[in-house]
Amino acid sequence: MTTSTTAAAGSLTPLPTGAEALLAAVSAGGDQLPAPARDQAAAIAARVAERSRIAGGHTVVALAGATGSGKSSLFNALVGASVAEVGARRPITSTPHAAVWGADPGAELLDWLGVGRRHRVVDVAPEIFGALGGLVLLDLPDFDSRVVEHRSEASRVLDLVDLFIWVTDPQKYADAVLHDEFVAARSALAAVTIVVLNHADALTPAGLRQCHDDLVRLLRADGLADPEVIVTSARTGYGVPQLRQRISAVVAGHTAAEDRLRADVGAAAAALRASVADTEPEFGDPASARLVDALSRAAGVPVVLKALEQDYIRESVGHTGWVFTRWSRAFSPEPLKRLRLDRVETRDGIPVGETDIRAVLGRSSIPPPSPAARADVDLATREVGRSAAQGLPKLWARAVTEAAQPAGADLHDELDRAIVGTPLRAPAPRWWQVFDVMQWLVAAVAVAGLLWYLVLAVAGWLQFALPEVPRWGIVPYPFVMLGGGLLAGLLLTAAARVFSRAGARRRRALVEGRLRTAIAAVAERRVIDPVARVLARHRLAREQLDLARSCSH
């Protein structure tokens, strides 16, 4: 509006950018922004687009005041003709009245403002006409009128004009309606606000000075840091030239409309900014690790790992155990098969891996989570929510904590699918093959020793003459082969069990890492990502509001 404001505007965010940022913030904030301020911001962004489209070089100045403040008389004095009705009956002004200076009647602008009563100012002094060309001066209904429609109409138009001129008088300059409902409510628009103390002729110079100083004090209390007060008397003409000159400076600057819109955008952004934190909280490893632990227990990962160890040892016995007792393995339970996590065969004989079990069998037979496990998941998700909501305003904190609660009863199914889809096996270790070969070799030696004894027994029964059986010391070779083969097989079996337990632990650690990765992916999808999306919306709302605020600062 003023020269300094115009100069500063060059370094401000462009008005269209500020309006777009305000809309983006409203969209990102959603229900986490207070509804009244959110709706007001959306309306202001729409108003920026409309007002910018139909600006047409006009400056809209509104005279607003309480009943009896003399704004209609001041309106006539500024126009230079008795256009507005003035009288003792109150209220006089029931609808806005416009006076338009210049060749352009501003019909589209006045239609947008909703002002039907219009007066073209053409028969005034050229120097006055030239100074005010493009001015649209409005005389509004009394904002303290006992007629509700009048007050509503005044408030509606005030939301659309470029410059406020609050007209008051020595009797009502301290009125609460003026200060609380209008001046203070629009204190963020101080750059486009002028206050007129009318009826100056009703006071002595000393009384007028005291009234002026008290009005300035009240305006500062309303939030206007450096209020501009012009003293006038519409009846005598005192101060009217100064007011006209001030309006002329505003019109000549051609920035009042943009200044008002900038102030609106900045005020709306500031009102919403109070509902957004300055930063987003960091949440990560401790809460996420606790969540994965809880989900793992709920998914039955400990049960799966125990079954995996048992299955590994069972398979190891089948490859490295004593040859003469391996057949007994057929009578032992298959841990992974009981959980429906074993390897199956299709009807074509093609082996199907664990990733196909879901399609073949539907789901696993892992026991459902216990009440304690469910409670642990609930506590872990709440901890994630609390960690991510620290320092956020109430509505945002609630949104974060709600996002951290995985809604729906399908969480267990998703965890089950994650386990079923995780490979639980690995290639057979090479030492199995080594021990298997060794077991068969010593078994063959034992069998050869047994067969040697049988041959000797049959030959003796048939009374065949046989050479002397070779001995190792005093022990015959057949006995050495039979006993040594059996003993070596047992010793290999004992060693294989030691290796099997170690291998089972390694396999458990390997698969546990895979399962935790799969469970972590579920936690990411069902808990972490929803929380991150809320925080991303908060960040976007914060950044866009700061950008919108910079439109007017």
Side-chain angles (χ1 to χ4, degrees):
M1 184 182 78
T2 64
T3 304
S4 60
T5 303
T6 305
S11 60
L12 299 179
T13 298
L15 178 59
T17 303
E20 291 174 3
L22 189 60
L23 269 182
V26 168
S27 176
D31 293 339
Q32 281 64 63
L33 299 177
R38 188 179 68 230
D39 295 343
Q40 178 71 8
I44 287 172
R47 188 187 309 155
V48 169
E50 284 293 310
R51 183 68 175 89
S52 300
R53 183 181 63 82
I54 60 176
H58 288 96
T59 301
V60 182
V61 179
L63 297 176
T67 303
S69 61
K71 57 181 176 54
S72 294
S73 299
L74 194 60
F75 179 82
N76 289 336
L78 291 170
V79 173
S82 296
V83 177
E85 183 179 358
V86 180
R89 180 176 58 84
R90 297 288 184 267
I92 295 298
T93 308
S94 59
T95 59
H97 195 163
V100 184
W101 278 258
D104 185 353
E108 184 180 8
L109 177 60
L110 289 171
D111 289 342
W112 179 70
L113 292 169
V115 177
R117 300 174 61 195
R118 308 170 186 182
H119 174 76
R120 292 284 303 282
V121 181
V122 292
D123 54 347
V124 296
E127 63 275 9
I128 296 176
F129 179 86
L132 297 177
L135 169 64
V136 177
L137 185 65
L138 302 180
D139 180 22
L140 301 185
D142 302 334
F143 55 58
D144 64 344
S145 173
R146 59 180 177 270
V147 182
V148 177
E149 290 78 7
H150 294 182
R151 298 199 302 269
S152 299
E153 182 65 2
S155 296
R156 182 191 68 80
V157 178
L158 283 171
D159 286 338
L160 305 177
V161 301
D162 304 329
L163 178 71
F164 307 113
I165 298 181
W166 303 111
V167 181
T168 187
D169 63 90
Q171 290 185 339
K172 291 192 174 184
Y173 75 89
D175 187 69
V177 174
L178 169 65
H179 291 280
D180 297 342
E181 298 184 20
F182 288 90
V183 179
R186 293 169 173 80
S187 60
L189 307 177
V192 290
T193 300
I194 298 175
V195 180
V196 169
L197 179 61
N198 199 23
H199 297 326
D201 54 304
L203 297 175
T204 63
L208 184 61
R209 185 165 49 253
Q210 181 180 358
C211 186
H212 172 275
D213 293 343
D214 196 35
L215 176 57
V216 170
R217 178 185 63 81
L218 292 173
L219 293 173
R220 285 175 177 160
D222 292 337
L224 275 64
D226 189 18
E228 181 179 3
V229 178
I230 299 176
V231 179
T232 65
S233 171
R235 188 178 68 83
T236 65
Y238 176 81
V240 174
Q242 288 82 359
L243 178 59
R244 183 183 288 112
Q245 183 178 8
R246 183 69 183 86
I247 295 174
S248 175
V250 173
V251 173
H254 299 292
T255 62
E258 182 173 339
D259 288 344
R260 166 64 200 272
L261 294 174
R262 283 182 175 275
D264 277 340
V265 170
L272 290 174
R273 190 61 177 79
S275 303
V276 177
D278 291 333
T279 59
E280 290 72 40
E282 295 291 338
F283 75 103
D285 295 340
S288 299
R290 165 82 191 281
L291 176 63
V292 173
D293 289 341
L295 290 175
S296 296
R297 286 189 290 272
V301 169
V303 175
V304 174
L305 293 177
K306 183 178 180 181
L308 180 71
E309 278 192 283
Q310 294 171 345
D311 184 79
Y312 182 93
I313 293 174
R314 183 178 180 277
E315 289 293 315
S316 179
V317 168
H319 289 82
T320 65
W322 202 25
V323 172
F324 303 111
T325 58
R326 288 185 186 183
W327 58 270
S328 63
R329 189 172 66 97
F331 298 99
S332 64
E334 300 181 42
L336 290 181
K337 187 174 183 179
R338 286 189 303 173
L339 298 178
R340 303 180 77 179
L341 295 173
D342 60 322
R343 200 171 192 81
V344 299
E345 298 269 339
T346 65
R347 284 183 297 181
D348 297 329
I350 301 174
V352 180
E354 289 84 1
T355 54
D356 301 311
I357 297 294
R358 180 72 187 181
V360 176
L361 299 178
R363 62 163 299 159
S364 74
S365 294
I366 300 173
S370 65
R374 292 181 185 273
D376 198 28
V377 170
D378 187 60
L379 288 175
T381 54
R382 290 180 184 276
E383 183 178 335
V384 171
R386 284 194 299 269
S387 174
Q390 288 181 358
L392 294 180
K394 183 177 180 180
L395 292 177
W396 286 102
R398 181 183 303 169
V400 167
T401 53
E402 289 176 354
Q405 299 298 317
D410 60 336
L411 177 60
H412 182 63
D413 286 340
E414 190 165 349
L415 292 172
D416 191 77
R417 287 195 297 270
I419 291 179
V420 169
T422 301
L424 303 182
R425 300 183 185 274
R430 293 184 178 179
W431 71 268
W432 283 9
Q433 300 174 5
V434 174
F435 270 69
D436 191 30
V437 171
M438 293 171 64
Q439 285 283 24
W440 281 106
L441 285 176
V442 296
V445 170
V447 169
L450 178 62
L451 290 176
W452 196 341
Y453 266 125
L454 290 176
V455 169
L456 290 175
V458 171
W461 180 69
L462 295 175
Q463 297 183 352
F464 287 158
L466 294 173
E468 185 178 356
V469 177
R471 294 175 180 274
W472 185 40
I474 61 173
V475 182
Y477 273 7
F479 183 80
V480 171
M481 294 174 62
L482 175 60
L486 295 177
L487 180 60
L490 292 175
L491 291 176
L492 284 172
T493 299
R497 287 188 179 276
V498 175
F499 292 148
S500 294
R501 292 190 184 97
R505 289 193 294 270
R506 287 194 298 271
R507 180 66 58 83
R508 177 190 177 111
L510 172 66
V511 174
E512 184 177 11
R514 294 175 182 173
L515 290 174
R516 284 188 67 86
T517 300
I519 298 297
V522 175
E524 196 82 18
R525 288 193 302 271
R526 297 299 296 268
V527 180
I528 305 301
D529 283 352
V531 169
R533 284 194 291 270
V534 175
L535 294 181
R537 289 198 298 110
H538 180 275
R539 179 182 293 105
L540 179 59
R542 173 176 58 81
E543 293 172 348
Q544 294 301 309
L545 286 175
D546 287 342
L547 180 60
R549 286 175 69 190
S550 68
C551 185
S552 62
H553 288 184

